[in-house]
């Protein structure tokens, strides 16, 4: 019974515990095992599912480039340990940078220790003293002077000045006076001693110039961070202090801020009405004052309609209706607004007694970092779980065996080399033909679903923990003396020990809806060029419906977690109780929700904007007192954007705690009104300020 839950002598025992929800942790572990078992059942293999990626996967395939023989470049304790860069024999055969980066360029690829720094051809190198330099870009163990050297691509037919990017040798493009050059040259000789333009290389590596420039920009950005990290940290510390100060001051300024905003809105709308009337009266006395919309044709220039008195009359009527609606709403909801303000003040007071809650977002951040790391590592293992696949690469396009899978060990024993002279069996990509490899995309989707579930579970754990801490404040009859010691730690312990099942179940429902939304977004992306209007309309409707469903579930889950933290009941019961409790106080919910959201948005905007302006003045040498301390920067916007973004995220973390506090106190307030009547036998647990506001509102138990 709720009346027996709270004891003045031991308020720390006010929460009912449901021991059956201890199975929640087992539920999450069971899901991981079930996922792997389901994979085994589908693929009928001994080791499969998402976790088989940790067996089949090899992150080296992502970290190191792979040459034509499937060997990693730069891997320690291997023949290529000192050859960390991949070199392409004939760059002209590569169509675009995507082909290069995906290791599918139809030319021999070799691991080298450094990229070439000069123009040269194989024919010229044989007859000059440059052969010693040129030889390092040939396959080891080839025989010099044979005709098969060029045909079999034992050596590159030409080399061009290059520099490493993404551990691969790309032409060293430099734009001088608007002209694209390589090593200050615009013309070079190819392997057949034909003169070619540098633009041919550009066509074979479209977009590489911008990518290489991006690397240079990245180095400058890194340098800016190295020079300004100290001042960035100072800006973020200022944000933390300002956020904390803003939350604590809401205890005294929430009412003034709210009414100041309301008066400002009413005044702005009233000024709009006056301005519309002034424009209407002015245009009514002007020539052609009787012109209407029907007298002029349809115009795309909106300013044409501003010269009609009828336009301003319509604006004036619309603003008058809006003003009347605002005034009527304020008249009928003025007491509800007082309750919202009182709860905001009470939330600020609760945080001042439980200051540790403001730092709980750090724990949430660390847990989310673990979730992201798990997802990313698993995705890498999945992406690298294939075997090396080799394809026939012919010397020309007439070979009938082109792009067929081959085995490099037995390739020379087949008749392919006879039918297609000069063809090679080169590494193409990582993959496979097994059922496991064919369904790799399904495993990626499973990994994504696990990621969504873990992220939502982490957020749910934080909401339940904070709700339990703030509920312990509300149900303390004599505040702050009856507040239990370490309320945040106690609430976190209860959530981990007893409520993981409920939190995991609520997170599962939300993750399923989010997964459907991701699939719908993917389908919408694929159907953008479709001419089927009905399919696109249906998809748009589904996206809208599931967007609404996700936000509704988020709202229900948030309040369900609060009820779980108070009573310890299961998720379904808590969701039902929270929903009907909110529906019995729907007007208060709407008013409190909008008032809280607006004030917190104003606070985030004020704090991040103020810190951003201060950072702008500092990094642009606009503050005379700090001229000497300003670091030398390549781009002043690098630390500026970092400070603004970091300030907003810090303010978001602080204000999320405050919003959870207000929501928890509101549900406790509604429960208090329904369970108690303020008598000596059933006293209210709300603070005296809320009692006064409640009596003015005419609320009864």
């Amino acid at each position: 019974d709720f009346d027996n839950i709270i004891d003045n002598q031991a308020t720390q025992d006010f929460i009912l515990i449901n021991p059956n929800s201890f199975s929640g942790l087992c539920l999450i572990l069971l899901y991981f095992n079930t996922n792997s078992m389901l994979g085994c059942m589908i693929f009928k293999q001994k080791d499969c599912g998402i976790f088989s990626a940790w067996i089949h996967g090899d992150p080296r395939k992502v970290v190191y480039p792979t040459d034509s023989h499937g060997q990693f470049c730069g891997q320690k304790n291997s023949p290529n340990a000192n050859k960390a860069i991949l070199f392409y024999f004939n760059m002209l055969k590569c169509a675009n940078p995507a082909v290069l980066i995906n290791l599918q360029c139809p030319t021999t690829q070799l691991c080298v220790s450094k990229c070439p720094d000069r123009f040269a051809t194989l024919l010229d190198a044989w007859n000059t003293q440059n052969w010693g330099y040129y030889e390092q870009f040939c396959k080891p163990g080839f025989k010099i002077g044979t005709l098969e050297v060029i045909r079999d691509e034992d050596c590159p037919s030409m080399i061009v000045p290059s520099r490493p990017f993404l551990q691969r040798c790309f032409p060293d493009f430099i734009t001088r006076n608007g002209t694209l050059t390589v090593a200050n040259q615009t013309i070079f000789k190819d392997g057949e001693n034909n003169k070619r333009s540098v633009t041919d290389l550009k066509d074979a590596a479209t977009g590489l110039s911008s990518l290489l420039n991006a690397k240079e920009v990245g180095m400058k950005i890194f340098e800016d961070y190295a020079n300004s990290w100290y001042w960035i940290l100072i800006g973020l510390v200022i944000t933390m202090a300002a956020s904390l100060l803003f939350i604590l001051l809401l205890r005294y300024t929430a009412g003034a801020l709210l009414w100041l905003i309301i008066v400002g809105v009413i005044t702005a709308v009233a000024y709009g009405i006056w301005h519309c009337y002034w424009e209407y009266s002015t245009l009514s006395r002007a020539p052609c004052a009787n012109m209407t919309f029907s007298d002029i044709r349809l115009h795309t220039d909106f300013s044409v309609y501003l010269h009609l008195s009828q336009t301003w009359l319509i604006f004036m009527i619309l603003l008058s209706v809006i003003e009347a609606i605002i005034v009527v709403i304020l008249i009928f909801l003025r007491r509800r607004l007082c309750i919202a303000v009182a709860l905001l003040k009470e939330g600020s007071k609760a945080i001042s007694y439980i200051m540790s809650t403001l730092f709980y977002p750090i724990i949430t951040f660390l847990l989310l970092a673990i979730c992201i790391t798990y997802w990313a590592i698993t995705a890498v293992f999945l992406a690298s779980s294939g075997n090396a696949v080799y394809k026939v690469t012919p010397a020309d396009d007439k070979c009938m065996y082109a792009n067929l899978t081959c085995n490099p060990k037995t390739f020379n024993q087949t008749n392919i080399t006879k039918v297609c002279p000069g063809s090679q069996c080169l590494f193409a990509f990582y993959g496979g033909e097994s059922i496991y490899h064919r369904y790799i995309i399904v495993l990626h989707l499973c990994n994504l679903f696990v990621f969504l579930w873990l992220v939502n579970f982490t957020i749910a754990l934080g909401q339940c923990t904070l709700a339990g801490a703030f509920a312990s404040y509300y149900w303390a009859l004599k505040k702050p003396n009856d507040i239990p010691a370490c309320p945040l730690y106690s609430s976190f312990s209860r959530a981990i020990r007893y409520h993981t099942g409920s939190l995991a179940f609520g997170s599962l429902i939300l993750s399923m809806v989010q997964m459907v939304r991701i699939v719908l977004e993917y389908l919408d992306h694929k159907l953008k060029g479709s001419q089927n209007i009905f399919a696109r309309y249906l998809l748009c409707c589904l996206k809208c419906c599931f967007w609404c469903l996700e936000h509704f579930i988020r709202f229900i889950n948030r309040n369900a977690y609060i009820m779980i933290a108070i009573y310890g009941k299961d998720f379904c019961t808590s969701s039902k109780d929270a929903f009907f409790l909110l529906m019995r106080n729907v007007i208060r919910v709407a008013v409190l929700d909008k008032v809280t959201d607006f004030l917190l948005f104003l606070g985030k905007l004020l704090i991040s904007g103020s810190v951003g302006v201060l950072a702008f003045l500092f990094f642009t040498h606009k503050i005379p007192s700090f001229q000497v301390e300003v670091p030398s920067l390549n781009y002043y916007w690098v630390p500026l954007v970092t400070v603004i973004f970091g300030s907003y995220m810090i303010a978001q973390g602080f204000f999320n705690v405050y919003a959870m506090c207000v929501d928890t106190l509101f549900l406790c307030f509604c429960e208090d009104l329904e369970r108690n009547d303020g008598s000596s036998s059933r006293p209210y647990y709300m603070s005296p300020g809320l009692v006064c506001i409640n009596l003015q509102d005419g609320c009864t138990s």
Side-chain angles (χ1 to χ4, degrees), residues 86-92 112 114-122 133-134 137 156-164 168-173 181-191 194 196-202 204-205 208:
L86 191 65
F87 170 70
Y88 298 89
F89 272 28
N90 192 346
M91 183 66 66
L92 295 174
V112 296
K114 61 179 180 179
C115 296
D117 58 5
R118 67 195 69 173
F119 282 110
T121 65
L122 179 60
Y133 176 82
Y134 199 96
F137 302 106
S157 60
M158 65 173 182
I159 58 174
V160 297
S162 307
R163 55 176 167 172
R168 293 161 178 85
C169 291
F170 290 139
D172 189 7
F173 293 114
T181 64
V182 174
N184 296 325
Q185 296 186 28
T186 58
I187 302 296
F188 67 97
K189 289 193 298 183
D190 62 11
N194 297 321
R196 304 287 292 268
S197 173
V198 171
T199 55
D200 294 334
L201 286 174
K202 178 185 177 183
L208 285 179

Side-chain angles (χ1 to χ4, degrees), residues 40 44-48:
C40 293
K44 298 181 180 179
Q45 295 186 9
K46 185 177 180 181
D47 50 352
C48 45

Side-chain angles (χ1 to χ4, degrees), residues 30 36 148 224 256 302 304 308 315 350 355 359 378 399 415 428 467 502 575 588:
L30 177 63
S36 184
E148 289 77 10
D224 287 343
F302 184 75
V304 174
L308 299 178
F315 285 164
M355 292 286 289
F359 300 98
T378 305
C399 180
N415 65 339
S502 298
S575 299
R588 290 175 178 170

